[in-house]
């Protein structure tokens, strides 16, 4: 995984480099019905490709918006197109981490195990933000929305004030030859006992694990993991996890973007 790109994308050149990008935070982008990029995929997952991602420069400043499809095409990623994302790590009262296995219907990274919830804040009221403080609040609202959508966790069980922002990671990773990720990913921790009502179009399995069980899963050659989750586990997760109940404050609200 690398953050190396062909172009430096800025507010001034983003429209020239990517004509499908809107230099405003539009609330909808319709996918071209004639495109062959999405042929053969699940109908609901195709519909979700119309969702609007927040296009960024390397310093996490919003410079426009584009559909989820546009942001996840490797042809655009290789040219530097970058968007905002978040990763939620939800722990229960026993400090076990809730994992999910992505559904086979997913267009990117199907069937892979990953952290509790990974998605994108959208170009909608309440989820955008130009400065770090408002961006953090935006991804927390987006996290509530997606925890409900994917896992049926109601927002009352995951209040905004209970999410802890740790840091941002900038990474790039291919899914296959056509799709991939290039994100500035906001890492959110939350400790809560929750009720699950899994959306099977998004998630095929869930599991609570201890640190030891997590390490054992990584030794199982039959299991596959999303690249961002594996990257976080290999560098930062277990240290954060060790300090979940004592000392986590020293890891929170990091302003520097970690380039990975």
């Amino acid at each position: 995984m690398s953050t190396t790109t062909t172009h430096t994308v800025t507010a001034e050149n983003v429209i020239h480099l990517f004509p499908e990008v809107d230099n405003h935070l539009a609330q909808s982008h319709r996918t071209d019905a004639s495109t062959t990029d999405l042929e053969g995929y699940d109908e609901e997952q195709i519909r979700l490709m119309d969702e609007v991602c927040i296009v960024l420069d390397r310093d996490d400043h919003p410079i426009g918006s584009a559909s989820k499809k546009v942001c996840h095409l490797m042809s655009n990623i290789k040219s530097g197109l970058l968007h905002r994302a978040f990763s939620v790590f939800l722990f229960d009262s026993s400090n076990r981490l809730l994992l999910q296995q992505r559904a086979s219907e997913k267009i990117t990274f199907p069937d892979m195990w990953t952290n509790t919830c990974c998605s994108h804040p959208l170009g909608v009221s309440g989820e955008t933000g130009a400065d770090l403080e408002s961006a953090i609040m935006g991804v927390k609202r987006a996290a509530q929305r997606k925890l409900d959508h994917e896992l049926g966790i109601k927002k009352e069980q995951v209040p905004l004030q209970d999410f802890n922002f740790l840091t941002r990671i900038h990474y790039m990773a291919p899914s296959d030859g056509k799709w991939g990720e290039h994100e500035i990913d906001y890492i959110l921790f939350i400790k809560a006992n929750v009720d699950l009502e899994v959306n099977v179009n998004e998630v095929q399995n869930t599991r609570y694990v201890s640190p030891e069980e997590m390490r054992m899963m990584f030794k199982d050659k039959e299991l596959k993991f999303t690249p961002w989750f594996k990257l976080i586990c290999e560098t930062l997760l277990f240290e954060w996890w060790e300090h979940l109940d004592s000392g986590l404050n020293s890891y929170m609200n990091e302003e520097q973007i970690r380039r990975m």
Side-chain angles (χ1 to χ4, degrees), residues 61 191 238 252:
H61 299 132
K191 191 169 179 178
F238 291 102
M252 287 165 49

Side-chain angles (χ1 to χ4, degrees), residues 2-14:
S2 170
T3 59
T4 303
T5 57
T6 305
H7 303 285
T8 298
V9 182
T10 66
E12 289 71 32
N13 68 12
V14 64

Side-chain angles (χ1 to χ4, degrees), residues 10-257:
T10 66
E12 289 71 32
N13 68 12
V14 64
I15 304 302
H16 172 72
L17 291 172
F18 308 102
E20 292 178 279
V21 170
D22 190 327
N23 60 355
H24 300 88
L25 289 175
Q27 295 197 5
S28 66
H29 286 263
R30 294 300 301 167
T31 297
D32 183 357
S34 66
T35 183
T36 60
D37 291 321
L38 294 169
E39 282 185 0
Y41 290 106
D42 176 78
E43 194 171 301
E44 173 62 10
Q45 292 298 321
I46 292 174
R47 185 189 68 79
L48 291 171
M49 282 301 217
D50 283 337
E51 289 186 331
V52 180
C53 291
I54 302 167
V55 175
L56 306 170
D57 66 14
R58 273 180 57 86
D59 296 317
D60 195 28
H61 299 132
I63 57 175
S65 62
S67 71
K68 185 176 173 183
K69 176 203 159 190
V70 168
C71 287
H72 290 81
L73 283 169
M74 278 305 299
S75 56
N76 292 331
I77 289 170
K78 288 177 180 178
S79 294
L81 192 61
L82 174 66
H83 63 276
R84 186 174 289 167
F86 66 84
S87 289
V88 174
F89 293 75
L90 185 149
F91 302 85
D92 67 8
S93 56
S94 299
N95 287 353
R96 297 180 303 166
L97 173 61
L98 177 61
L99 304 181
Q100 66 156 277
Q101 185 182 15
R102 293 163 66 87
S104 299
E105 290 83 355
K106 298 289 283 185
I107 293 172
T108 59
F109 307 99
D111 301 314
M112 294 188 182
W113 284 93
T114 194
N115 50 288
T116 313
C117 181
C118 339
S119 192
H120 315 90
L122 303 180
V124 299
S125 177
E127 294 191 13
T128 60
D131 61 273
L132 183 57
E133 183 178 359
S134 59
I136 291 169
M137 184 55 66
V139 297
K140 288 180 179 181
R141 293 191 182 103
Q144 279 189 330
R145 172 176 55 79
K146 289 300 290 186
L147 284 167
D148 190 1
H149 175 233
E150 294 185 3
L151 296 164
I153 299 172
K154 302 308 177 188
K155 64 181 182 180
E156 292 78 13
Q157 293 188 315
V158 283
L160 290 176
Q161 65 269 22
D162 288 357
F163 286 97
N164 294 307
F165 166 70
L166 273 69
T167 190
R168 295 169 286 177
I169 65 169
H170 177 190
Y171 76 97
M172 181 171 67
S175 175
D176 53 26
K178 182 183 294 184
W179 307 103
E181 291 285 9
H182 186 206
E183 303 179 326
I184 291 182
D185 190 13
Y186 285 59
I187 309 302
L188 301 175
F189 270 30
I190 186 168
K191 191 169 179 178
N193 292 324
V194 297
D195 300 310
L196 301 180
E197 190 175 339
V198 172
N199 177 352
V200 296
N201 189 255
E202 292 284 330
V203 177
Q204 63 176 284
N205 200 359
T206 60
R207 183 184 300 183
Y208 281 98
V209 294
S210 66
E212 295 73 22
E213 290 166 334
M214 183 75 262
R215 289 187 175 97
M216 290 301 296
M217 286 183 70
F218 277 117
K219 292 179 181 179
D220 187 340
K221 301 302 182 183
E222 299 297 314
L223 301 180
K224 295 182 179 180
F225 299 88
T226 59
W228 62 87
F229 180 54
K230 191 171 183 180
L231 182 65
I232 293 167
C233 287
E234 289 173 346
T235 56
L236 301 163
L237 176 63
F238 291 102
E239 182 176 352
W240 291 337
W241 202 340
E242 183 180 350
H243 293 89
L244 188 60
D245 290 328
S246 178
L248 189 65
N249 285 349
S250 63
Y251 299 97
M252 287 165 49
N253 299 313
E254 185 174 73
E255 294 186 6
Q256 179 182 350
I257 300 170

